[in-house]
Amino acid sequence: MRKAFRIYGLAAVILTMTATTAYAANQESTAYAKSGGNDAKSSYITGQGKMGKMKFNSSGGGSGFYEKVCSGNTTYGPAFYIPSSGGSIDELVPMPSNCQFKLHITSGLYFPVAGTIQNYE
């Protein structure tokens, strides 16, 4: 009886620690570029070895891309554009766990752009 309680207790502790670790690793960072062709960038987030997401939107034009830093090497993802009529971008990004990611956005002439990069779908 005592051994069964120990095994179930240990299993409960391991399950709790695993669930807490997975939840705590989810990160996101936002950026906001004022209208007039201004640039903005988010803070860095760390990949989790799975797909993440890059999202940004505007009521009238803008662009954005992500920066990836792995072992000191910096690369940039493709640029995405919002037309002058407005819209949003919602793209999946592969995010290895040994890399950091940052969102870069640029506003249109008359409307701001707001965006988020997150290391989970």
Side-chain angles (χ1 to χ4, degrees):
M1 182 84 164
R2 228 175 177 182
K3 190 173 186 177
F5 282 128
R6 273 194 235 161
I7 291 172
Y8 287 124
L10 181 60
V13 168
I14 291 171
L15 182 61
T16 302
M17 289 174 63
T18 304
T20 303
T21 302
Y23 175 76
N26 286 350
Q27 297 175 332
E28 67 180 320
S29 183
T30 59
Y32 179 81
K34 294 180 183 179
S35 61
N38 291 298
D39 297 326
K41 55 190 169 198
S42 68
S43 300
Y44 282 108
I45 61 169
T46 303
Q48 294 191 79
K50 59 183 182 178
M51 296 301 280
K53 198 178 268 192
M54 168 180 81
K55 304 183 283 190
F56 56 96
N57 61 58
S58 174
S59 295
S63 62
F65 62 92
Y66 66 90
E67 174 184 336
K68 175 174 140 182
V69 180
C70 300
S71 303
N73 296 320
T74 302
T75 56
Y76 299 94
F80 294 92
Y81 300 92
I82 297 172
S84 59
S85 59
S88 62
I89 302 295
D90 192 343
E91 289 290 321
L92 291 176
V93 177
M95 294 188 169
S97 58
N98 61 336
C99 300
Q100 298 214 317
F101 297 84
K102 180 190 283 192
L103 175 66
H104 294 262
I105 54 176
T106 302
S107 67
L109 189 57
Y110 301 109
F111 293 94
V113 175
T116 302
I117 189 163
Q118 58 193 45
N119 65 359
Y120 57 94
E121 288 186 63

